[in-house]
Amino acid sequence: GAHSHSSSASESAHGHSHGGNDDESSSHGHSHGEQKNAAGATSASDFSKMKIDKTRIFLLFSFVLIDVLGFSILLPLLPYICEKFGASPSILGLLFASNAIAQLVSAPTIGLLSDRFGRKKLLLICSTVTCVSFVWLLNAESLQDVFLSRILDGLLGGNISLAQAYVVDSTTAESRSLGLAVVGAAFGLAFLVGPVLGGTISRYSLLLPVQLACVLSVINFFGVYLLLPESLPVEKRRQRGGFIAYVPVANIIEQLQGPLGGLLLLRLLFGTLLALLETSVATVGRALMPEVSAQYLSYALASMALAYMLVQMGVMPVLSRRFSGAQLNPKLLKIGFVLLACALGLWGTATTLGQLYLALFLFGAASATISTTLNTLISQRARQQEVGSSMGVAAALGSLTRVIGPLLGGYLLQQLGGSAPGFFGVALSLLALLASGMVLQ
């Protein structure tokens, strides 16, 4: 979820055939042909009823899919690239942390600049920088080059929160959770396909996945430039603010003190749980089941990504069609945290592969529910001219958790053993459940 690669979430374009009823009165699987229909869709389609711009959402789905695919292709290879330069495992942890810290510093400012100058300009800048960072990695001659390429991508590769802001611009309050779910589905799909694809083609050459990531980022730049319209009209943009507003820490503090404070703190709790599991899952798996190979642990992560995608592409659209957001989102958030507690409890006590797969499948379903619902609630409570900034701050907090989570997981494992991260996660999930009740009153 997070990768939340360049921050947590800015996404949305999607020609998906979400599953749903095929009858005309409630048709939901929309083909590209239907999107190009001059009328934009039949009055019975969900997207039409909800006043959601299908073409934009499809384009944004494609953008997020390609963007995150470029990142996720490299995930299994970075350890080998670092090993080539003689790096230890702790240095690898530092490499992931450096990318997250760079996003923490930059995401609020990128979001705020997009409120001021529009989403498209910032998406083009971020796509360009992502491409440059991959080219740098491709030509890396030292560990320092690897670090600088990841830091550069972190500083100015903040595409996901921009994509989320774009969704908010392009949807109504009723259709927003569906639009954000589409972005989440692209994210989940990319994380399902990317590592497998990267691992497969790396057998021919370690450089091949990096070259593919470069090509994908070039495709994205031209896709945004030629096809994606600006979503934020000039009259809705933020007026020129003081310099202090563009200082990341000041921006984060301002948002935490405003109407979004409680939701952003929930985002921090949730992100910590996500990072705790993602970074500890292999170590915990080895501690609880020493005989299990890395291959089967990677399948466990795939089960998590699969559940994430199924919820985003299957469950969310059906629920969005049946219930209003005001009824649905508070309930979904609480259900998500209950599911999360169950998943983490099972993870902490798993003694068979089947239990581990079930725990991670439940975790994927819970995190899809929570992330979409939180992003929807944040976008609804944000001031109109500060949507990009609010999404950027949420993304920055997500990046902070990717620094906290691995440190916390490592400490718990070392001091208390293999079950500790799971049981600590249960306690944190229940705390988040209680806090959500207070925040949503």
Side-chain angles (χ1 to χ4, degrees), residues 111 115 251 255 260 264 378 382-383 386-395:
D115 287 335
N251 193 349
Q255 293 278 358
L260 295 177
L264 290 170
I378 288 168
R383 300 180 190 98
E386 293 182 5
V387 167
S389 177
S390 301
M391 289 299 188
V393 168

Side-chain angles (χ1 to χ4, degrees), residues 198-285:
T200 305
I201 63 175
S202 66
R203 288 186 297 182
Y204 303 102
S205 161
L206 257 189
L207 293 180
L208 201 57
V210 189
Q211 290 165 337
L212 179 58
C214 291
V215 171
L216 290 172
S217 58
V218 171
I219 290 170
N220 249 357
F221 175 86
F222 285 104
V224 172
Y225 182 72
L226 297 171
L227 300 173
L228 202 67
E230 175 56 65
S231 65
L232 190 64
V234 175
E235 64 274 12
K236 288 187 178 177
R237 292 182 190 176
R238 182 189 178 101
Q239 299 310 303
R240 195 185 300 275
F243 171 75
I244 193 70
Y246 293 89
V247 177
V249 176
N251 193 349
I252 291 171
I253 291 169
E254 181 193 343
Q255 293 278 358
L256 284 172
Q257 289 174 336
L260 295 177
L263 288 170
L264 290 170
L265 288 173
L266 281 177
R267 181 84 184 71
L268 190 65
L269 275 177
F270 166 61
T272 302
L273 287 167
L274 192 63
L276 175 71
L277 181 133
E278 284 180 340
T279 55
S280 307
V281 69
T283 329
V284 168

Side-chain angles (χ1 to χ4, degrees), residues 266 269-270 273 333-345 370 422-438:
L266 281 177
L269 275 177
F270 166 61
L273 287 167
L333 193 60
K334 290 174 183 173
I335 290 168
F337 281 120
V338 170
L339 254 184
L340 202 62
C342 295
L344 288 162
I370 295 167
F423 292 142
F424 181 82
V426 172
L428 213 54
S429 300
L430 295 174
L431 176 65
L433 178 65
L434 290 172
S436 67
M438 294 158 62

Side-chain angles (χ1 to χ4, degrees), residues 52-304:
I52 196 167
D53 188 324
K54 288 189 309 176
T55 307
R56 282 189 186 188
I57 296 298
F58 168 68
L59 288 169
L60 204 51
F61 174 86
S62 307
F63 172 83
V64 173
L65 179 65
I66 294 169
D67 182 64
V68 180
L69 201 55
F71 175 83
S72 64
I73 279 171
L74 298 181
L75 277 182
L77 308 173
L78 283 174
Y80 297 99
I81 292 170
C82 289
E83 211 174 80
K84 195 172 77 172
F85 297 114
S88 66
S90 58
I91 295 289
L92 181 65
L94 201 57
L95 179 68
F96 284 112
S98 68
N99 181 266
I101 291 167
Q103 287 176 34
L104 169 64
V105 171
S106 66
T109 304
I110 288 174
L112 200 143
L113 287 169
S114 79
D115 287 335
R116 175 88 177 82
F117 299 106
R119 315 291 183 216
K120 182 167 180 171
K121 289 187 184 76
L122 271 293
L123 280 168
L124 287 170
I125 291 168
C126 289
S127 297
T128 304
V129 172
T130 296
C131 186
V132 170
S133 76
F134 288 147
V135 172
W136 198 337
L137 183 63
L138 189 62
N139 295 291
E141 293 179 355
S142 67
L143 197 58
Q144 185 182 11
D145 285 335
V146 179
F147 265 85
L148 288 171
S149 82
R150 297 296 78 219
I151 290 168
L152 179 65
D153 185 47
L155 282 174
L156 279 164
N159 296 328
I160 304 302
S161 55
L162 285 176
Q164 285 171 329
Y166 193 103
V167 171
V168 174
D169 299 338
S170 307
T171 54
T172 61
E174 293 76 30
S175 62
R176 191 156 300 153
S177 59
L178 179 57
L180 289 168
V182 164
V183 170
F187 201 87
L189 183 59
F191 262 92
L192 193 62
V193 173
V196 177
L197 179 61
T200 305
I201 63 175
S202 66
R203 288 186 297 182
Y204 303 102
S205 161
L206 257 189
L207 293 180
L208 201 57
V210 189
Q211 290 165 337
L212 179 58
C214 291
V215 171
L216 290 172
S217 58
V218 171
I219 290 170
N220 249 357
F221 175 86
F222 285 104
V224 172
Y225 182 72
L226 297 171
L227 300 173
L228 202 67
E230 175 56 65
S231 65
L232 190 64
V234 175
E235 64 274 12
K236 288 187 178 177
R237 292 182 190 176
R238 182 189 178 101
Q239 299 310 303
R240 195 185 300 275
F243 171 75
I244 193 70
Y246 293 89
V247 177
V249 176
N251 193 349
I252 291 171
I253 291 169
E254 181 193 343
Q255 293 278 358
L256 284 172
Q257 289 174 336
L260 295 177
L263 288 170
L264 290 170
L265 288 173
L266 281 177
R267 181 84 184 71
L268 190 65
L269 275 177
F270 166 61
T272 302
L273 287 167
L274 192 63
L276 175 71
L277 181 133
E278 284 180 340
T279 55
S280 307
V281 69
T283 329
V284 168
R286 281 207 300 274
L288 297 177
M289 291 173 280
E291 73 288 350
V292 171
S293 71
Q295 183 183 2
Y296 289 107
L297 288 174
S298 66
Y299 292 162
L301 283 173
S303 76
M304 184 168 88

Side-chain angles (χ1 to χ4, degrees), residues 4 146 237 248 357 372 397 419:
S4 255
V146 179
R237 292 182 190 176
Y357 288 2
T372 300
L397 293 175
S419 295

